[in-house]
Amino acid sequence: MSDSTSTYICNACGWVYDPQQGDPDGGIAPGTRWEYIPDDWVCPVCGVGKEDFECVTKKPDMAEENNSEQVQATASLVIVGSGLAGYAVARELRKRDTSLDITIITRDGGEVYSKPMLSNAFARKHQADDMIQKDGNTMAKELGIEIIAGTTVLGIDRNTQQLMLQKNGENSSLSYGRLVLALGADPRIFPVEGQQLVDISTVNDLDDYRVWREKLNPGDHILLIGAGLIGCEFANDLVTAGYQVSMVDPAAWPLARLLPEQIGNMLVDALQRAGCKAHMGRTVIRYTANESGLQAELDNGTIVKFDHALSAVGLVARVDLAREAGLDVQAGIIVDRFMRTNDPLIFALGDCAQTEAGLLPFIAPLLAESRVLAETLTGNETKLQLPAMPVVVKTPALPLIVCPPPVGADGYWTVEQSNDEAVAVFQSQDGTETGFALAGKKTELQKSMAKRMPDLLPAEDATLESVTEVSKADDAQNYECDVCSYIYDPAEGDPDGGIAPGTPWEDIPDDWVCPVCGAGKDDFTAVS
Ligand SMILES: Cc1cc2nc3c(=O)[nH]c(=O)nc-3n(C[C@H](O)[C@H](O)[C@H](O)COP(=O)(O)OP(=O)(O)OC[C@H]3O[C@@H](n4cnc5c(N)ncnc54)[C@H](O)[C@@H]3O)c2cc1C
């Protein structure tokens, strides 16, 4: 049993349950120990259950006092990046090997914080520093690793296995035995006429949040560009915190690639009721500034006056370092199922990596990646496989969970909607369910719906198995007579009609007839 001070970290989003604070919004009073939280309680940030939390036990300091100024001459395993992916793999490695030399290099401060909470931090009245769970020195001691913070990796020399580093304008180098790239992704900004007049913000890390927060004055009007997952979360957060928000997106409804139209429209209604003005199907064509302030002209002529602009139009994986080092890159750094690049000594995970399942810029996939990578790096080569991984959209105006169908999937949504709740299932043309979306109270169906979905990245041998199983199932398919409803079951056959038990439908002679009504084979239909 934990003590009253044991904290628990959400493996999905990094949020930490601290018994002293409880989770009053989720009905958990301050002072509630972990054991006494009901089993159906979910993470207030990302919605996963108690089983996805891990006790954060205070580890004995494994390292000498961390000296982030010092650059080592050699390091056997170097991780670039101290985001959730970089730290996740360091933690997983340490669980498996207590003596491995691990160094993290990061251009930021090395603080641990929950990036998903950046998009609901205003409503929670969090300053940037409130979000820091641990600083780099604490992490270095707890994990027994070295953290070289404030240091940018400028290049990778694969021949000499050296990283070129820069800190405060000074260059140095560091050797690596094996290298893990956990570089994350950069926010995209679409160029628009007059953009130089506007200081367009993006919030993709703690430092961005700090700067963004300092810009805003109470009641300011914010132009929010992008109504995707993160854009809608920011919109909801900012209106809840008392700002005026005008959200603009060329798509006809928000989260257009993840939601069917009906649920997208429910979200628009909910956000508008919360105070956000949504300009869907519109783009900003020009920015202007005059004595009354900044304004954006939309493609239908609408003028939106605003004080600050926030862009949330997607991310671009950080691939430049890898590309310049001659590694294979497409939209992300290409990795195989072991998270290995085309250089056997270099690996990648998190937002910068592109697996067979494509780019997966979410927490649950990066945690799964960190586990298989740690296994492989400690000598137990393990292939990545991913179940369906629904994502919680943090829009309290309309709680949503999305499990998107594969990109470009050919199929259709079926939506059951009543008042402010809905269940939508995406089916491919052959009827297979490949995605879903839940709104309002129906979000409680998350786990049962996820079980119905195919794996995001099936186990390679499981793929074979399931193919075999499907063909066996086909062999074992029953057939129903359309005329009299007699069922032909291959296991039973039709001994009186000369068909031995175990005969699949395909092997029955064409002149065989239904033993009940005499209809021919043509009058039978496959049934499950
Ligand atoms: C506002 C917001 C809300 C989100 N909400 C959710 C959510 O609810 N659920 C969910 O599943 N996902 C969510 N996500 C996505 C999720 O947070 C990311 O997938 C995840 O945090 C990415 O972690 P990462 O470690 O791969 O990248 P990052 O956190 O970006 O870390 C990259 C690291 O690499 C370092 N770095 C980069 N280049 C260099 C270099 N050249 N030299 C040295 N260091 C370098 C950076 O300093 C940083 O430390 C959200 C994202 C955002 C922005």
Side-chain angles (χ1 to χ4, degrees):
M1 189 182 248
S2 65
D3 63 34
S4 59
T5 59
S6 294
T7 56
Y8 282 74
I9 188 162
C10 172
N11 281 329
C13 72
W15 182 78
V16 173
Y17 176 78
D18 177 349
Q20 287 176 0
Q21 292 175 15
D23 171 25
D25 292 346
I28 310 297
T32 307
R33 281 189 190 192
W34 183 253
E35 289 78 14
Y36 302 134
I37 298 179
D39 286 342
D40 59 356
W41 173 85
V42 291
C43 171
V45 174
C46 69
V48 301
K50 274 185 84 176
E51 64 280 8
D52 291 313
F53 279 69
E54 191 181 341
C55 184
V56 192
T57 34
K58 180 93 180 78
K59 302 233 174 29
D61 290 352
M62 298 180 73
E64 293 301 310
E65 186 64 27
N66 177 48
N67 180 356
S68 59
E69 299 300 314
Q70 181 193 344
V71 176
Q72 284 186 331
T74 59
S76 65
L77 193 138
V78 176
I79 300 167
V80 187
S82 63
L84 290 167
Y87 275 133
V89 73
R91 272 195 207 96
E92 294 297 331
L93 282 166
R94 198 42 98 220
K95 281 184 200 164
R96 291 162 178 81
D97 185 332
T98 51
S99 60
L100 184 67
D101 267 351
I102 303 171
T103 300
I104 289 186
I105 302 182
T106 178
R107 66 184 182 196
D108 58 39
E111 301 89 354
V112 179
Y113 70 98
S114 169
K115 187 184 272 206
M117 288 185 72
L118 294 176
S119 49
N120 59 1
F122 268 93
R124 289 164 181 256
K125 300 189 170 56
H126 285 327
Q127 298 292 333
D129 287 344
D130 300 337
M131 299 178 68
I132 297 176
Q133 293 157 5
K134 284 178 190 168
D135 62 22
N137 283 340
T138 309
M139 284 305 283
K141 284 183 195 170
E142 277 192 17
L143 292 174
I145 64 179
E146 175 156 15
I147 297 180
I148 303 175
T151 303
T152 303
V153 176
L154 298 177
I156 305 168
D157 184 335
R158 290 165 54 201
N159 293 325
T160 59
Q161 290 178 228
Q162 298 251 328
L163 299 179
M164 275 65 82
L165 310 182
Q166 188 169 72
K167 179 171 187 168
N168 299 332
E170 290 197 10
N171 292 346
S172 61
S173 64
L174 174 73
S175 301
Y176 65 86
R178 289 169 301 169
L179 179 64
V180 174
L181 301 175
L183 300 165
D186 283 315
R188 226 184 265 275
I189 291 198
F190 291 127
V192 170
E193 186 187 325
Q195 192 153 301
Q196 71 284 359
L197 301 169
V198 186
D199 179 15
I200 297 183
S201 298
T202 54
V203 177
N204 185 44
D205 60 33
L206 197 58
D207 291 335
D208 292 342
Y209 177 73
R210 183 175 281 112
V211 172
W212 170 238
R213 211 187 152 93
E214 277 169 11
K215 279 184 185 172
L216 301 193
N217 294 309
D220 274 352
H221 190 154
I222 290 141
L223 175 72
L224 183 51
I225 305 145
L229 193 143
I230 308 252
C232 288
E233 292 185 353
F234 280 133
N236 203 152
D237 191 45
L238 289 164
V239 287
T240 308
Y243 299 96
Q244 302 173 66
V245 177
S246 295
M247 181 170 72
V248 182
D249 194 295
W253 64 90
L255 281 77
R257 281 184 303 165
L258 312 181
L259 288 179
E261 184 172 1
Q262 292 98 311
I263 300 187
N265 288 336
M266 287 170 72
L267 180 58
V268 169
D269 290 346
L271 288 174
Q272 303 228 92
R273 278 196 303 273
C276 166
K277 176 93 181 90
H279 299 269
M280 298 308 303
R282 301 271 71 98
T283 50
V284 177
I285 55 165
R286 179 172 310 114
Y287 294 109
T288 51
N290 57 29
E291 59 287 349
S292 67
L294 293 166
Q295 51 187 38
E297 182 181 341
L298 309 190
D299 57 353
N300 62 349
T302 302
I303 301 292
V304 179
K305 293 188 173 179
F306 65 96
D307 300 301
H308 306 283
L310 179 65
S311 174
V313 293
L315 296 171
V316 189
R318 293 184 179 125
V319 296
D320 291 352
L321 263 184
R323 183 190 287 115
E324 284 156 19
L327 299 176
D328 290 343
V329 302
Q330 288 175 4
I333 303 169
I334 304 291
V335 289
D336 63 15
R337 293 250 186 164
F338 301 103
M339 309 311 298
R340 187 183 276 136
T341 66
N342 56 312
D343 180 328
L345 298 177
I346 305 182
F347 303 78
L349 83 162
D351 281 9
C352 69
Q354 181 175 341
T355 70
E356 265 174 56
L359 296 173
L360 299 168
F362 298 107
I363 307 292
L366 76 79
L367 292 174
E369 292 168 3
S370 71
R371 287 184 206 113
V372 297
L373 178 52
E375 286 291 334
T376 295
L377 291 171
T378 52
N380 177 24
E381 297 243 316
T382 304
K383 289 186 178 179
L384 182 68
Q385 64 181 88
L386 300 171
M389 291 183 155
V391 178
V392 176
V393 186
K394 302 184 295 291
T395 44
L398 180 72
L400 284 172
I401 290 177
V402 292
C403 185
V407 177
D410 182 17
Y412 52 93
W413 286 101
T414 308
V415 186
E416 283 175 30
Q417 181 190 349
S418 66
N419 301 324
D420 46 7
E421 56 184 44
V423 177
V425 177
F426 187 91
Q427 285 170 285
S428 53
Q429 294 301 350
D430 68 359
T432 314
E433 295 180 343
T434 57
F436 68 86
L438 305 170
K441 282 221 158 57
K442 295 292 183 192
T443 49
E444 65 194 23
L445 300 176
Q446 174 186 357
K447 287 191 177 168
S448 56
M449 290 296 290
K451 281 189 193 140
R452 281 165 47 176
M453 296 297 128
D455 287 350
L456 200 51
L457 193 56
E460 282 184 335
D461 359 359
T463 316
L464 282 177
E465 256 167 42
S466 59
V467 169
T468 326
E469 270 165 27
V470 168
S471 65
K472 274 189 202 147
D474 279 348
D475 289 344
Q477 181 91 61
N478 290 350
Y479 281 75
E480 182 174 11
C481 175
D482 295 335
V483 180
C484 70
S485 299
Y486 160 79
I487 302 266
Y488 176 78
D489 178 351
E492 291 174 18
D494 174 23
D496 291 346
I499 309 297
T503 306
W505 180 254
E506 292 73 20
D507 295 349
I508 298 177
D510 285 341
D511 60 355
W512 173 84
V513 291
C514 171
V516 175
C517 72
K521 268 188 92 177
D522 293 350
D523 293 311
F524 278 68
T525 304
V527 289
S528 55

